[in-house]
Amino acid sequence: MTEIHHIGIRVGDLDAAIRVLGLAFAVEASHDLSPPAGGRRIAHVEFSNCRLELIHDPHAPLPGDQQAVIDHIAIGSPDIYRDMSELSRRGFASLDDAPREAAFGNLVAAYDDADFSGIKLHLVAEKVEE
């Protein structure tokens, strides 16, 4: 539970963000093909050492005139139930009673940013392909 899975970034224009990152760094995006209701769109952009999760949510406008803000940092978890229990034992309670299915079919547990000095953290267990 010490590897960063991805960094979530809320963007004002998902297509523009994907386009500029592709142009600048020759990276490609994969889109979540089963986005949640409400018009929220999510894409992952893979770098050799990091994944960015780009999030466009029309119901969560960006502050001021910003085009993007860091939303969260996701920590990879090989066993999300065990890791949630361990964090609970250390005094960190998840905002989720149990892991929930999120983008790309992954399991996620979110934690209150107040518990982590203003950093919004998620535990993520990647969907296992059957």
Side-chain angles (χ1 to χ4, degrees), residues 2-122:
T2 58
E3 183 175 292
I4 292 178
H5 182 271
H6 68 263
I7 298 172
I9 301 174
R10 285 191 304 126
V11 297
D13 185 334
L14 181 66
D15 297 321
I18 290 168
R19 200 169 30 258
V20 73
L21 289 171
L23 179 63
F25 304 109
V27 292
E28 293 186 15
S30 56
H31 295 269
D32 181 12
L33 299 178
S34 57
R40 191 171 182 212
R41 295 172 53 217
I42 297 174
H44 282 171
V45 177
E46 300 280 342
F47 289 82
S48 64
N49 64 341
C50 183
R51 176 184 301 138
L52 298 181
E53 180 178 71
L54 304 177
I55 307 159
H56 176 258
D57 187 344
H59 303 293
L62 298 172
D65 61 353
Q66 295 181 349
Q67 294 181 18
V69 295
I70 293 179
D71 183 75
H72 65 275
I73 297 175
I75 308 299
S77 173
D79 184 338
I80 196 166
Y81 295 96
R82 181 199 67 216
D83 291 337
M84 286 178 72
S85 292
E86 179 61 23
L87 283 171
S88 178
R89 188 183 68 72
R90 294 179 188 178
F92 300 98
S94 173
L95 297 172
D96 301 295
D97 292 332
R100 59 184 162 77
E101 188 170 333
F104 297 92
N106 296 332
L107 293 178
V108 173
Y111 288 82
D112 192 338
D113 56 353
D115 291 342
F116 289 95
S117 299
I119 301 169
K120 188 167 143 186
L121 290 179
H122 292 177

